[in-house]
Amino acid sequence: MTVIDEVDPESHGGIDAMAGAAIDYELLAAEYGTPLFVYDGDRMAGSLAELRGALPEGVEVFFSLKSNPNISVVSLLSAHGARAEVSSLAELHTALAAGVAPGNVIFLGPGKSEEEIEACVAARIYAVVVESLDELADVARLAASAGIRQRVLLRVNPSRPPRGAGLTMGGKPRPFGIDEEVLLAAGDLARRYRDLDIAGTHAYLGTRILDAETVVDNTRRALDLAERVAAATGVDLSAVDVGGGLGVAYFHGESDPDLQGLREGLEPVVSAFRARHPGVRLLFESGRYLTARAGTYVVRVRYVKSSMGVRFAVVDGGTNHHMAAVGVGSFAHRDFPIVPLTDPSRPATGPWNIAGPLCTPNDTLGKNVTLPDLRPGDLLGVERSGAYGPTASPGLFLSHGFPAEVLVHDGRARLVRRRDTPHDLLRQQRHHQYGQ
């Protein structure tokens, strides 16, 4: 099942982009233009290997496509052992077209359409994660109509909020999942929905978590919830999705999660659960951790100026491509790391404000960033930009369109998304002429 009938022929080619272990950003910018997202495929594969090594044996990593749904990124991570967590029809098609086996795909998110549910059933994906009792009934109806016994997971909104998350996804009024109290009082769901395979539970408590002990605590709570919900609803546990939410450091004073501590904390929790429930499939979701550190948003300085004593470098890309760079989970602007890519050995001379080309003062990628003297034509790189870049940004604002994306892997750079052109932006519109 796929709706991706053709691949841009430009994406099949590539150029040598590596000199030793360093990506040649000047070469990539000359070949593909700027603004440009560059993804280091080796770093992505390495992050996946690190995470799999930090999880107890048998815990499977499901890549959250929402963090970076580029089909080549999904294909690369799938080739290195990642499964897929999707939340839209297009993401489902992407995962399957990228080579992820249907049995390694889950679909979650509130407000699923009948078309999305029917597509999940037709593709025989591993599980639909239901977010309400009404949705459970809808999946049962549509699966029965197709003559298929569909597996589902019950997403639980726990009664107690998590700690240490940049953004909490449960523990308070949320559109996600079924409140813990509602599920515990729902009765024998397994008997009520005999034509469904209600396999277990899903609990995603928070995101951008940097503290390993918080992930361990959330996992412990998710497994406890699974046991209590199963006992109350008659579900014979065969799968539990413990969420994930592992973050990366973006800002001053932050550190990436301690993976050794994560392994040491999770091992006894998972071992004790497996002793009680041997053979249960355990799912761990990860998006940001796998992709963020592997991405660089490359922009070129168009001109420099001073305004009331403040130095500005106006660049050719901005928050329309990288809204996350204005501050993730923060009410205050905090900068992603920004580095010079043109002659990076030049000494820093003081602070710069890095502004994009949009007609709004909010289009600022960096404030008071310590950099060398900048000149028109210089390249700058916004690091840790591999997650929640173009697809989480208002790319159509001022009709600039979306930037190109390049994936570098094994010393070879390949265009994996061409940049939008004015023609691309206009061709989906319909012109009805008036006044003639």
Side-chain angles (χ1 to χ4, degrees), residues 63-74:
F63 173 54
S64 298
L65 266 70
K66 65 179 69 69
S67 66
N68 190 325
N70 186 284
I71 188 171
S72 292
V73 168
V74 180

Side-chain angles (χ1 to χ4, degrees), residues 30 119 156 167 173 215 240 312 333 393:
V156 189
L167 178 64
V215 178
V240 180
F312 285 84
H333 183 107
S393 303

Side-chain angles (χ1 to χ4, degrees), residues 210-405:
L210 300 179
D211 175 47
E213 181 51 41
T214 298
V215 178
V216 173
D217 182 60
N218 286 350
T219 301
R220 183 184 298 110
R221 291 173 58 189
L223 295 175
D224 173 69
L225 269 173
E227 291 181 315
R228 291 190 287 114
V229 168
T233 59
V235 171
D236 184 14
L237 275 182
S238 60
V240 180
D241 187 328
V242 299
L246 204 61
V248 300
Y250 290 113
F251 310 120
H252 179 72
E254 294 183 337
S255 299
D256 289 336
D258 172 14
L259 294 189
Q260 179 64 31
L262 183 64
R263 177 66 186 241
E264 292 173 356
L266 285 177
E267 194 66 58
V269 173
V270 171
S271 295
F273 180 82
R274 285 205 183 279
R276 297 189 299 273
H277 305 280
V280 171
R281 188 175 191 182
L282 294 180
L283 291 62
F284 187 96
E285 298 173 21
S286 183
R288 191 189 311 275
Y289 187 83
L290 298 183
T291 59
R293 296 174 299 172
T296 301
Y297 180 48
V298 181
V299 294
R300 192 178 294 281
V301 177
R302 284 188 168 155
Y303 58 87
V304 297
K305 62 182 290 186
S306 178
S307 176
M308 298 184 181
V310 176
R311 294 194 297 180
F312 285 84
V314 180
V315 299
D316 56 5
T319 52
N320 55 322
H321 298 159
H322 200 351
M323 181 62 78
V326 304
V328 176
S330 173
F331 290 104
H333 183 107
R334 296 189 292 173
D335 299 327
F336 276 38
I338 298 177
V339 297
L341 300 177
T342 299
D343 191 10
S345 62
R346 282 184 291 164
T349 60
W352 287 85
N353 282 12
I354 311 303
L358 308 181
C359 299
T360 167
N362 295 324
D363 188 27
T364 302
L365 291 173
K367 291 183 177 180
N368 296 318
V369 183
T370 302
L371 291 167
D373 287 338
L374 297 177
R375 304 161 299 204
D378 283 350
L379 293 180
L380 296 175
V382 184
E383 297 185 316
R384 300 197 161 215
S385 296
Y388 301 103
T391 55
S393 303
L396 298 182
F397 184 54
L398 294 190
S399 299
H400 281 286
F402 288 95
E405 299 173 53

